């Protein structure tokens, strides 16, 4: 079900409850029960995975997948809501092995675990609006981080999820992080189309909240005057594709996270040229090659404390799932950066 249809569904549901004279207090209690059940499930899964890792020993950090299948804050298509299961399927499909390029094995739980998905649609079906939904996402991320040595590797979903995830990481660690953001767009509008939680506004919310010290945006090629003005307002380091050949050496030798709580990496799949990843909502020619992205990620110096892969839209992918495999490879190599 698309985001618009789903949104209409829960609005009608609340209207029916109102017509049936169900009190606001009763609706609130029901919503709270659903949210508590969601958080309990993620918390208990994380606890179980972490107990296993602690028993195995020798693990400083393990990437832990957390799906956030949210698409309704997209300004165009809502297909990214369907991405997490497609990415997982591609990771384990058997057409390739389970090793990262540097030789870490994904089927080793000391490298990668999975705590499941935040049940976004089920929560929204109860009439929970975005302010509270963003809080649920943040609390879900914190539930993972509570369990050492797990570090969240979040599967979107549209890019609006990065705000509550980064907020949770910063609050849990007790200070700002440095962010490496790969994207065709800066996603830094103050309020896009009247939606402060739009996927086009996530990094404005992050910077306003003081959750990042440095924000580096790489791969930009669809940026408006507001995007540049907002970048200057927040001191963002914006690297556009038109100057990539000049910037390549800098970007392939980044050193981040010193003096802050670590590095957060956010990869919007549309940072890639559509020749490499056609399954995205916003097709922007002239992007990074897949090896460009891997060179940036693999050469990055810094303690990656969390990451996300967002904006893969399975509804626009090729019949053989090419972009799903690309997203899975991004997850694979981010896992290698996080786990140790």
């Amino acid at each position: 079900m698309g985001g618009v249809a789903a949104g209409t569904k829960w609005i009608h549901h609340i209207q029916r409850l109102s017509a049936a004279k169900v009190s606001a207090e009763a609706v609130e209690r029901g919503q709270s029960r659903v949210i508590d059940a969601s958080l309990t499930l993620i918390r208990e899964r994380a606890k179980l995975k972490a107990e296993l890792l602690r028993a195995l020993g020798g693990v400083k950090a393990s990437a832990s997948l957390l799906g956030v299948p949210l698409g309704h804050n997209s300004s165009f298509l809502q297909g990214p809501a369907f991405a997490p299961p497609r990415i997982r399927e591609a990771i384990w499909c058997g057409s390739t092995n389970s090793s990262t390029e540097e030789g870490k094995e994904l089927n080793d739980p000391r490298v990668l675990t999975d705590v499941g998905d935040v049940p976004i649609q089920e929560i929204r079906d109860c009439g929970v609006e975005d302010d509270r939904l963003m809080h649920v996402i943040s609390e879900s991320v914190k539930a993972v981080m509570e369990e050492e040595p797990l570090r969240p590797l979040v599967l979107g979903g549209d890019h609006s999820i990065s705000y509550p995830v980064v907020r949770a990481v910063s609050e849990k660690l007790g200070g700002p992080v440095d962010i490496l953001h790969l994207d065709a767009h800066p996603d830094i509008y103050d309020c896009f189309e009247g939606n402060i939680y739009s996927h086009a506004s996530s990094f404005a919310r992050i910077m306003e909240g003081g959750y990042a010290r440095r924000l580096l945006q790489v791969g930009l090629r669809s940026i408006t005057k507001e995007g540049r003005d907002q970048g200057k307002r927040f001191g963002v380091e914006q690297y556009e594709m038109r100057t990539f050949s000049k910037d390549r050496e800098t970007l392939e030798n980044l050193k981040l996270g010193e003096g802050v709580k670590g590095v957060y990496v956010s990869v919007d799949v549309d940072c890639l040229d559509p020749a490499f990843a056609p399954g995205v909502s916003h097709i922007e020619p002239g992007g990074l090659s897949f090896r460009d992205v891997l060179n940036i990620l693999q050469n990055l110096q810094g303690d990656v404390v969390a990451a996300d892969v967002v904006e893969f839209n399975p509804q626009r992918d090729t019949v053989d799932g090419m972009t799903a495999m690309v997203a899975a490879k991004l997850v694979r190599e981010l896992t290698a950066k996080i786990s140790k």
Side-chain angles (χ1 to χ4, degrees), residues 72-130:
H72 66 274
N73 283 322
S74 174
S75 60
F76 182 43
L77 301 174
Q78 284 78 46
F82 302 102
R86 299 286 77 80
I87 296 173
R88 287 189 178 94
E89 181 182 11
I91 291 171
W92 305 112
C93 74
S95 73
T96 184
N97 59 50
S98 61
S99 295
T100 69
E101 289 195 355
E102 69 175 68
K104 293 182 179 179
E105 293 289 339
L106 296 193
N107 54 15
D108 182 343
R110 293 170 296 184
V111 174
L112 180 66
T113 59
D114 191 338
V115 298
D117 290 353
V118 181
I120 296 294
Q121 195 55 60
E122 290 82 353
I123 294 171
R124 293 189 74 226
D125 282 347
C126 298
V128 173
E129 297 187 9
D130 266 4

